[in-house]
Amino acid sequence: MKKCLVILLALLLTVAVPFSADAKKLPKRQMEYLDRGAVAVETEDGIFLSWRFLGNDKKKTSFHIYRDGKKITRKPLKHGTNYLDEAGTADSVYRVEAIGKGADQDDIKVWQNNQLHIPLQKPADGKTPDGKSYTYKANDASVGDLDGDGEWEIILKWDPSNSQDNSRSGYTGNVLIDAYEMDGTHKWRIDLGHNIRAGAHYTQMLVYDFDGNGKSELVVKTADGTTDAKGKVIGDQNADYRNSSGYILEGPEYLSVFDGNTGIMKETVNYEPARGNICDWGDCYGNRGDRFLAGVAYLDGKTPSIIEARGYYEKTMIAAYTYKDGKLTKQWLFDSDTAGNEAYAQQGNHNLSIADVDEDGKDEIIYGSMALDHDGTGLYSTGLGHGDAMHVSDLDPSRPGLEVFQVHESSPNKAGIELHDARTGELLWGIPTNRDIGRGLAADIDPRYPGAEMWAVDGAWNSPTGGLYAASGEQITTNIPPANFAIWWDGDLSREILDHTFDESIQTGTGLIGKWNPKTEKVDTLLDAEGTYSNNGTKGNPALQADLIGDWREEVIWRTEDSSALVLYTTTDITEQRLPTLMHDPVYRLGVAWQNVAYNQPPHTSYFLGNNMKQPDMPRIDVIKAK
């Protein structure tokens, strides 16, 4: 009897270990080296300064501030990593010094306001084979340290005005990808060529340091005629696989790695998941078969892998690659058509997320209503079907682990708006729906309720569906804020609303940041980004949202109305909250990497970031500095 009990206890402990693993025993993740990212902004009250508390700093790191060579902080700054210098002027020059580390960033000049204009080299207009003209506008962006200097550079996708959803026929212009320094210096341009169709579901840019040399690469799907920054053409430059409807349903497909600093093509292999029989994906005209997603995942817990995915309405295939020593190597390929994987068909979203959901140090791929383990095997399928929006984080800090908030297009649905356990797929609560739920958002916007709040809008009429829910599933009110993006912007721990003033006649609008007022149940405007436009129609996406400079609060980048520039906005609110830069958090950094993919979603952290939060542990990272 005792022997049986010992065996049973051992089995229980074996099951429990992955989810309660000692964080100190988990491997350190390769992560980008970053400088202090300090910024100084002129305000009505003085000069506001903000800088990074790095993930590789010691927990008790404190700081001194110098103005024009003289120390102006009487005592070391031990709390928030921002400071208001009431005696500073627009001509002042600052230095931030981490005590014990020396002057790790100096010569910080003052911005006139909280905006940085980044000039762009707008491409020339073009014509399709049927003689129709098109223009270009700046679209989705990503960031990486392309040259290894500890500062972010911007990778920008140019979208032709005739870009199309997969469900619509028509020729499109070529997709172009640019790289820029933050001052607008144009580094390079890649032309994906006429055998890559333009639209939200075709080109998913991954910008990351995949080979561990301290510099980011660009990984993207290519085809015959793709031309790198030095004019080198991939495949047959004269091949044209477009059919009379503008779809590209034949011809070779490639996966290419480009050097981030030069735009030179470094490696190209045949793209997997491969097209195969186009009818296997759910239709025969190219709608469902050309739906792509992509992401970055630490499948071994230490180094990043490339995730490439195809299909989610019917068939789903997901592949993983490494890029090391100049070579792309496939790690595994998941196929929902493989025997035993039937439950994973029809479950994907227009987006994905990457997180270590079982706490073994290795990342899983959360692919809508299904998830894959780090080795490419199925982890679970909720069976709730396809959806347009999804958010993964510690949304309910009262329970262990991470949660997934998801809305579903499939209807009728027993839980078209729902929260489930990210590790097991267990449904925690759900709201029955009988129509397409087009958008949903999760963020802590109401300090009266623990955890994040969640809400959704109807896909057909863009109207509130159900209302605003607490993490527990309790309905707070039938009123809701917009459900596009959320951003950490002001000085408290609530998250703010990132949206736009949509004009149907031009299918875009001015960028906005607002704050949900629980008393009035309305959004109070904090920032009206006049002169900017949002991307991707009603979705109201910025070009990019991320913690790019300064402390842990986020920046937002919109395009100007004529796409002649990008405009980066940063907050100037003082906060006592001190958190490591979000870009050194494992879930958040990967969220920025996949933010541009298909239906863009805001990044989230690996821990609950909100009111009454617990201070997070310092991330276990191995910072790689370029040699």
Side-chain angles (χ1 to χ4, degrees), residues 345-591:
Q346 304 176 352
Q347 301 302 314
N349 261 35
H350 287 303
N351 29 68
L352 51 64
S353 187
I354 311 289
D356 174 16
V357 302
D358 55 13
E359 297 188 4
D360 63 355
K362 302 172 183 179
D363 284 334
E364 282 69 50
I365 296 93
I366 302 94
Y367 199 77
S369 296
M370 56 168 278
L372 298 187
D373 209 345
H374 63 272
D375 60 1
T377 59
L379 190 63
Y380 64 80
S381 173
T382 69
L384 294 172
H386 165 71
D388 287 3
M390 178 180 68
H391 306 273
V392 180
S393 183
D394 188 2
L395 302 173
D396 184 354
S398 70
R399 61 183 308 279
L402 307 179
E403 293 80 33
V404 179
F405 176 65
Q406 189 178 357
V407 298
H408 299 273
E409 181 176 319
S410 309
S411 63
N413 200 310
K414 67 176 184 179
I417 303 169
E418 51 94 2
L419 185 72
H420 67 260
D421 184 286
R423 182 194 184 204
T424 66
E426 175 193 359
L427 182 65
L428 302 176
W429 57 262
I431 309 299
T433 57
N434 60 5
R435 59 185 65 171
D436 172 6
I437 306 303
R439 210 149 303 152
L441 191 54
D444 184 14
I445 61 172
D446 191 332
R448 301 173 301 176
Y449 296 84
E453 286 70 51
M454 302 160 215
W455 63 101
V457 294
D458 183 281
W461 296 278
N462 202 32
S463 59
T465 301
L468 183 68
Y469 294 90
S472 64
E474 173 189 356
Q475 187 185 65
I476 298 172
T477 175
T478 56
N479 295 321
I480 64 168
N484 287 326
F485 265 50
I487 183 170
W488 285 293
W489 181 259
D490 64 11
D492 62 29
L493 288 170
S494 294
R495 211 169 188 188
E496 283 65 56
I497 305 300
L498 177 57
D499 197 38
H500 66 161
T501 57
F502 183 67
D503 183 339
E504 190 170 354
S505 65
I506 55 175
Q507 289 292 296
T508 186
T510 301
L512 286 175
I513 294 176
K515 193 173 189 68
W516 176 251
N517 187 327
K519 293 182 178 180
T520 63
E521 298 185 352
K522 294 181 179 179
V523 175
D524 299 327
T525 299
L526 300 180
L527 173 71
D528 183 348
E530 186 178 354
T532 68
Y533 273 165
S534 60
N535 286 334
N536 306 321
T538 59
K539 296 170 185 63
N541 307 138
L544 182 69
Q545 168 200 331
D547 175 15
L548 297 173
I549 53 175
D551 61 28
W552 59 273
R553 271 89 56 87
E554 296 173 287
E555 282 67 45
V556 58
I557 299 176
W558 284 290
R559 60 186 171 102
T560 57
E561 294 175 354
D562 61 358
S563 287
S564 64
L566 298 174
V567 187
L568 180 152
Y569 289 81
T570 189
T571 185
T572 57
D573 288 345
I574 289 289
T575 182
E576 290 296 310
Q577 308 296 334
R578 171 166 146 160
L579 297 170
T581 174
L582 303 188
M583 292 294 260
H584 275 168
D585 178 78
V587 172
Y588 185 91
R589 177 64 187 95
L590 300 183

Side-chain angles (χ1 to χ4, degrees), residues 309-325:
R310 186 179 208 141
Y312 36 73
Y313 283 115
E314 184 61 45
K315 178 183 171 75
T316 288
M317 293 182 72
I318 304 173
Y321 296 83
T322 59
Y323 177 66
K324 295 178 181 179
D325 301 321

Side-chain angles (χ1 to χ4, degrees), residues 203-436:
T203 295
Q204 320 302 350
M205 304 182 298
L206 296 181
V207 183
Y208 215 83
D209 178 14
F210 289 105
D211 60 3
N213 70 348
K215 302 178 183 179
S216 292
E217 291 80 40
L218 167 68
V219 176
V220 71
K221 183 175 179 286
T222 57
D224 282 353
T226 295
T227 306
D228 77 3
K230 298 299 182 181
K232 182 178 180 180
V233 179
I234 295 174
D236 181 357
Q237 64 179 339
N238 297 316
D240 189 343
Y241 298 107
R242 293 173 292 185
N243 63 24
S244 59
S245 296
Y247 288 99
I248 301 155
L249 305 181
E250 58 182 7
E253 301 175 293
Y254 307 117
L255 182 66
S256 296
V257 180
F258 296 88
D259 182 278
N261 195 36
T262 64
I264 294 174
M265 191 272 292
K266 304 295 289 185
E267 169 77 333
T268 291
V269 297
N270 289 330
Y271 183 86
E272 290 190 78
R275 181 188 295 122
N277 183 350
I278 197 67
C279 298
D280 289 346
W281 301 92
D283 61 57
C284 295
Y285 72 98
N287 179 7
R288 288 165 170 79
D290 269 5
R291 301 273 180 166
F292 301 96
L293 299 179
V296 180
Y298 287 71
L299 301 177
D300 63 358
K302 298 178 182 179
T303 57
S305 293
I306 297 157
I307 303 298
E308 294 290 329
R310 186 179 208 141
Y312 36 73
Y313 283 115
E314 184 61 45
K315 178 183 171 75
T316 288
M317 293 182 72
I318 304 173
Y321 296 83
T322 59
Y323 177 66
K324 295 178 181 179
D325 301 321
K327 297 295 182 183
L328 276 168
T329 303
K330 187 175 70 176
Q331 293 173 276
W332 48 255
L333 178 67
F334 174 89
D335 188 345
S336 64
D337 279 356
T338 300
N341 289 342
E342 293 85 357
Y344 295 86
Q346 304 176 352
Q347 301 302 314
N349 261 35
H350 287 303
N351 29 68
L352 51 64
S353 187
I354 311 289
D356 174 16
V357 302
D358 55 13
E359 297 188 4
D360 63 355
K362 302 172 183 179
D363 284 334
E364 282 69 50
I365 296 93
I366 302 94
Y367 199 77
S369 296
M370 56 168 278
L372 298 187
D373 209 345
H374 63 272
D375 60 1
T377 59
L379 190 63
Y380 64 80
S381 173
T382 69
L384 294 172
H386 165 71
D388 287 3
M390 178 180 68
H391 306 273
V392 180
S393 183
D394 188 2
L395 302 173
D396 184 354
S398 70
R399 61 183 308 279
L402 307 179
E403 293 80 33
V404 179
F405 176 65
Q406 189 178 357
V407 298
H408 299 273
E409 181 176 319
S410 309
S411 63
N413 200 310
K414 67 176 184 179
I417 303 169
E418 51 94 2
L419 185 72
H420 67 260
D421 184 286
R423 182 194 184 204
T424 66
E426 175 193 359
L427 182 65
L428 302 176
W429 57 262
I431 309 299
T433 57
N434 60 5
R435 59 185 65 171
D436 172 6

Side-chain angles (χ1 to χ4, degrees), residues 76-138:
L77 302 175
K78 300 180 179 180
H79 300 292
T81 52
N82 51 84
Y83 182 80
L84 182 64
D85 179 19
E86 296 178 353
T89 69
D91 296 323
S92 299
V93 178
Y94 292 89
R95 183 171 92 231
V96 174
E97 181 177 299
I99 296 173
K101 287 195 171 184
D104 50 357
Q105 187 164 349
D106 55 15
D107 196 28
I108 304 162
K109 295 181 171 59
V110 177
W111 296 6
Q112 291 183 343
N113 52 41
N114 67 337
Q115 305 171 28
L116 176 66
H117 282 250
I118 305 166
L120 300 176
Q121 302 295 316
K122 187 175 181 179
D125 301 348
K127 285 189 176 182
T128 54
D130 54 3
K132 296 180 180 178
S133 299
Y134 61 87
T135 60
Y136 280 97
K137 58 186 176 184

Side-chain angles (χ1 to χ4, degrees), residues 38-223:
V39 61
V41 181
E42 185 176 13
T43 72
E44 293 180 355
D45 301 316
I47 305 302
F48 171 84
L49 289 102
S50 179
W51 60 95
R52 293 185 182 113
F53 177 43
L54 297 166
N56 55 318
D57 279 335
K58 292 182 178 179
K59 209 166 189 176
K60 294 185 178 180
T61 299
S62 55
F63 301 89
H64 275 305
I65 305 297
Y66 294 77
R67 183 205 319 123
D68 300 327
K70 295 181 179 180
K71 185 167 66 177
I72 60 174
T73 43
R74 296 175 61 185
K75 296 181 179 180
L77 302 175
K78 300 180 179 180
H79 300 292
T81 52
N82 51 84
Y83 182 80
L84 182 64
D85 179 19
E86 296 178 353
T89 69
D91 296 323
S92 299
V93 178
Y94 292 89
R95 183 171 92 231
V96 174
E97 181 177 299
I99 296 173
K101 287 195 171 184
D104 50 357
Q105 187 164 349
D106 55 15
D107 196 28
I108 304 162
K109 295 181 171 59
V110 177
W111 296 6
Q112 291 183 343
N113 52 41
N114 67 337
Q115 305 171 28
L116 176 66
H117 282 250
I118 305 166
L120 300 176
Q121 302 295 316
K122 187 175 181 179
D125 301 348
K127 285 189 176 182
T128 54
D130 54 3
K132 296 180 180 178
S133 299
Y134 61 87
T135 60
Y136 280 97
K137 58 186 176 184
N139 190 244
D140 296 335
S142 191
V143 291
D145 183 3
L146 304 182
D147 52 17
D149 63 355
E151 299 178 355
W152 298 119
E153 282 80 41
I154 295 174
I155 305 292
L156 175 71
K157 182 178 76 170
W158 287 100
D159 207 22
S161 55
N162 56 5
S163 65
Q164 297 288 358
D165 186 82
N166 298 51
S167 62
R168 298 176 180 174
S169 61
Y171 290 108
T172 72
N174 291 11
V175 176
L176 308 176
I177 300 176
D178 280 3
Y180 295 90
E181 300 279 358
M182 283 292 184
D183 64 2
T185 300
H186 186 215
K187 296 176 72 69
W188 48 257
R189 172 168 291 166
I190 294 167
D191 186 342
L192 294 185
H194 53 247
N195 289 311
I196 294 290
R197 202 165 187 246
H201 302 285
Y202 297 101
T203 295
Q204 320 302 350
M205 304 182 298
L206 296 181
V207 183
Y208 215 83
D209 178 14
F210 289 105
D211 60 3
N213 70 348
K215 302 178 183 179
S216 292
E217 291 80 40
L218 167 68
V219 176
V220 71
K221 183 175 179 286
T222 57

